[in-house]
Amino acid sequence: MALIEGSALVTKSIANEGITTLFGLAGGPIVEVMGYGPQYGVRPIGVRHEQAATFAATAYGYVRNEVGVAVLAAGPGVTNGVTGAHVAFDNCMPLVIIGGSGPQTGRYSGTFQETDNVPMFREITKMAVQVDSASRIPEYMAMAFRKAKTGRPGPAYLDLPSDVLQEMVEEDSVHWPTDYYTDAPPQGNPEQVARAADMLLNAERPAMIVGKGVRWSEPTQQLTGLVETLGMPYLPSPMGRGFIPDDHPMNFNAARSTLMQGADVILVVGARLNWMFDFGRRFAPDAKIIHIDIEPEEIGLNRKVDVGIVGDAGQALGQILAEMEGKTDGVKDRAEEGPWLTALREKAASNAESIQPFMEADTTPIKTYRLLTEVRNVFPRDTIYSVDGQITLATGRQILPSNTPASRLNSGTNGCMGVGVPFAIGAKLARPDAPVVSVNGDCAFGFNSMEMETAVRHSLPVVFIVNNNSGIVGGNLESMMGLPEDYGERVARYVQDIRYDKMMEAFGGHTEHVTEPEDIRPALERAYAASQDGIPSCVNVITDPMEQMITRSNRASALMGY
Ligand code: ADP
């Protein structure tokens, strides 16, 4: 009879799920889970900090439309990964975290790295439990994957004590769950669907808001079908971009406020009416809301809803389209000729015109608009952008396009700084053929910049760009709560013009250092060429420390670039 180790059961469970990559930092007692990877066809990616493991795994899962997996060494390794669970939870993204812990047998005796991990994860996961025996590992793993993926996606945490991981069990005696998902995504209630179709057909000023919750059914056809059948303008959320290509003429990201305030019927799909959409308060008070979400409790939160459809986005949108069949004659033509689209087009054009001078600005130090305009002009249509940092996010929202599904990653629902570098690493592994560009403010970049070494070591040719304005919020010192300026300087400003490219030089990647606007494009082109040769790069661009955001509103959503 063959014996199998607990760690191998974990890795084999991951492989059985069809997952081919896991992220972690090789430390006890989970190092063997990584070590068994090649035996079961799972590529272990060793990172430099566990936070990056959970971030990269989350992005990997999001871009691939599967569950990300991170393995965390015991004690501080596990606590380092907590922020990743928080990010996956707040962004509704599927992630399974395997955390190591001290032996079950030595509880409360002061064993090495003893921590009670489960309570730490309980509030920020869909499930957090400790595995009690090696033979039950496949069962727990199946539970974790099902929890992570089913309904509203999210993270699940499994705590693996060292003696459970090291336990040897008879392979034949292990029960392997199979077929532990339904393959039928939930459909919307037909009556609600009919009412939604009717409302949209009779709207004078219809609009759609598309959020990143559509990722999991990727209903590009249905979304495009709806906007094109009705002549309906839409607004993608920051990460809801690309499911309809950004260059679609019905995309009114450039007239966001006009769309939200002016619409009389708003279809919200796969998005929450949280701070990002001002809790629905910017919609006209009498606007009718149709909300599609897989999570029933989300519907009606913060804003009265007229039609709430609980179900999968792809299914519900398909049902609405089917319901409209034969009833749409002339609807699109009326919309095209009507004042609603005209007003939106005028607003979008005037907004585009107002930022044009910033995009072309020839000043030294370089401005963020100019930098991101050059980025947009160099990288191809299917580029995956991972954007992080306040001014960078705010400007990126206006300048950087996303034209393919799940090709936009950013700081997300809880505005987590530091995701830009590891998200890009996860994305490159998930979609190796797509160009991946990580655009970071220097503050955000600082959190996980060591992961550029991970990219070099694992041959992941990401272009890492640093929008280096030597500090936080463009040196917006007045906002330092009345502190004397020199004190504020030391809190919010960094050493001037740091050469982050030198970090990449030390790691062995391609480097660029840019101070003049006319040098941005050639530097980006060289970095892109290096990435096509399989070499990651760091492009360090010195930008204006005194740059203020053009968006002056104090709303959190404006500050975070939403
Ligand atoms: P965004 O930040 O893009 O506005 P959010 O993360 O706030 O998006 O919201 C995503 C929403 O999508 C969540 O409320 C989640 O429950 C929902 N969701 C997740 N999966 C699906 C799905 N398959 N169908 C419909 N809604 C979904």
Side-chain angles (χ1 to χ4, degrees), residues 2 5 32 82 141 177 202 298 325 342 349 399 410 432 451 475 488 558:
E5 193 182 0
E32 282 83 8
V82 167
M141 291 291 291
N202 290 302
E298 195 58 44
E325 243 174 64
T342 307
I399 306 289
N410 61 34
E451 301 302 337

Side-chain angles (χ1 to χ4, degrees), residues 341-551:
L341 282 179
T342 307
L344 287 166
R345 282 178 182 141
E346 280 171 10
K347 186 66 188 165
S350 84
N351 283 346
E353 201 181 323
S354 72
I355 61 170
Q356 195 64 32
F358 300 100
M359 294 166 71
E360 290 165 3
D362 244 338
T363 54
T364 304
I366 293 164
K367 298 279 198 288
T368 302
Y369 272 95
R370 173 66 189 265
L371 167 61
L372 297 193
T373 302
E374 300 288 355
V375 171
R376 178 173 85 176
N377 292 340
V378 166
F379 292 96
R381 205 172 168 276
D382 63 339
T383 297
I384 299 179
Y385 287 110
S386 171
V387 189
D388 193 6
Q390 203 174 62
I391 290 184
T392 314
L393 281 163
T395 314
R397 173 169 74 82
Q398 298 172 55
I399 306 289
L400 296 176
S402 293
N403 290 307
T404 51
S407 64
R408 187 57 159 263
L409 299 157
N410 61 34
S411 302
T413 305
N414 57 27
C416 185
M417 298 288 106
V419 296
V421 172
F423 269 8
I425 287 174
K428 189 69 197 170
L429 280 152
R431 212 177 283 169
D433 294 338
V436 176
V437 178
S438 165
V439 196
N440 309 273
D442 56 336
C443 167
F445 180 71
F447 286 81
N448 283 301
S449 47
M450 271 306 284
E451 301 302 337
M452 289 197 300
E453 190 272 337
T454 303
V456 173
R457 188 163 26 93
H458 288 284
S459 303
L460 303 170
V462 173
V463 176
F464 298 102
I465 300 171
V466 192
N467 178 9
N468 185 356
N469 65 7
S470 302
I472 299 175
V473 199
N476 194 356
L477 299 177
E478 346 41 300
S479 66
M480 289 298 297
M481 294 171 292
L483 294 173
E485 192 155 300
D486 62 337
Y487 190 82
E489 284 268 353
R490 272 175 279 143
V491 175
R493 296 286 302 278
Y494 303 149
V495 169
Q496 190 74 27
D497 299 348
I498 291 173
R499 293 292 302 269
Y500 292 110
D501 53 311
K502 298 273 182 194
M503 285 177 76
M504 186 53 120
E505 186 182 308
F507 303 148
H510 177 88
T511 63
E512 297 285 346
H513 177 63
V514 181
T515 58
E516 304 302 321
E518 64 273 18
D519 296 334
I520 306 171
R521 189 178 180 120
L524 292 173
E525 283 170 347
R526 287 190 295 271
Y528 180 37
S531 74
Q532 288 173 311
D533 290 337
I535 301 164
S537 58
C538 176
V539 184
N540 185 44
V541 184
I542 302 300
T543 51
D544 186 358
M546 300 315 291
E547 185 174 10
Q548 302 289 319
M549 277 188 293
I550 290 173
T551 312

Side-chain angles (χ1 to χ4, degrees), residues 90-92 151-153 210-214 216-217 237-240 270-272 274 276-277 292-295 298 311-314 413:
D90 275 0
N91 286 286
C92 309
R152 169 183 277 177
V210 183
K212 62 183 177 300
V214 303
W216 316 108
S217 46
S237 77
M239 284 178 66
R272 285 171 285 182
N274 55 16
M276 213 177 271
F277 291 104
I292 303 174
D293 202 295
I294 205 154
E295 173 61 56
E298 195 58 44
D312 170 71
T413 305

Side-chain angles (χ1 to χ4, degrees), residues 31-42:
V31 61
E32 282 83 8
V33 172
M34 299 181 81
Y36 279 115
Q39 187 175 324
Y40 293 108
V42 181

